[in-house]
Amino acid sequence: MRAVSGGEVAGILVAVFWAILVSFLAVALVRLAQTLRATTKLVADVTDQAVPLLADASAAVRSAQTQIDRVDAIASDVQEVTSNASALSTTVASTFGGPLVKVAAFGYGVRRALTGRKADVPAREPGRTVILGRTVPAARRKNRGK
């Protein structure tokens, strides 16, 4: 048997170290490849599910836009009707308001004049009687007379 020199032992150690390092790198690369395959499958599954969802969302947005356009048209029609009603109200108030006030004032004046004529006729006054410098109400006067 021959003796192993220091240089040979160092070479064997370096070879073993390199073999272990290559083994660790191979295991790491295998696991990285598995992770990349799993990630690729996950991305494909998400894409398969996301495409129909995006199509549904797009359809919903288009439908909402159609409804908003309809509501906008209705709101503009309501605004037009409101302005027309306001103009009609102003026209009716200016057309009939003045004459109606005059008719009401005339009716009030006639009623006042007719009630004034009745007031000219002397009515029996419930009045008060003065006794010794004091005023006695009519209710008390009736009791005194008896």
Side-chain angles (χ1 to χ4, degrees):
M1 263 207 107
R2 151 179 107 95
V4 180
S5 71
E8 290 176 354
V9 172
I12 291 175
L13 284 176
V14 169
V16 169
F17 174 74
W18 277 107
I20 293 172
L21 181 65
V22 168
S23 297
F24 280 130
L25 287 176
V27 169
L29 285 174
V30 167
R31 290 200 180 180
L32 181 63
Q34 290 173 348
T35 304
L36 287 175
R37 274 192 294 264
T39 304
T40 304
K41 184 179 181 287
L42 180 65
V43 168
D45 290 345
V46 167
T47 302
D48 290 343
Q49 292 176 3
V51 170
L53 287 176
L54 289 175
D56 291 346
S58 177
V61 167
R62 278 194 296 275
S63 175
Q65 182 62 38
T66 302
Q67 296 301 324
I68 287 173
D69 291 342
R70 288 181 184 170
V71 168
D72 188 39
I74 290 170
S76 66
D77 290 345
V78 167
Q79 184 179 7
E80 185 179 338
V81 167
T82 302
S83 65
N84 288 343
S86 176
L88 179 64
S89 172
T90 303
T91 303
V92 167
S94 65
T95 303
F96 296 115
L100 284 178
V101 169
K102 290 178 184 178
V103 167
F106 178 74
Y108 177 74
V110 168
R111 187 173 64 237
R112 184 76 177 194
L114 291 178
T115 56
R117 294 232 179 223
K118 289 180 184 176
D120 290 342
V121 176
R124 193 178 132 201
E125 246 179 83
R128 298 176 180 238
T129 306
V130 177
I131 301 175
L132 300 173
R134 290 190 310 157
T135 304
V136 178
R140 285 187 61 200
R141 269 186 281 135
K142 288 182 186 176
N143 291 338
R144 274 186 176 229
K146 291 184 180 182

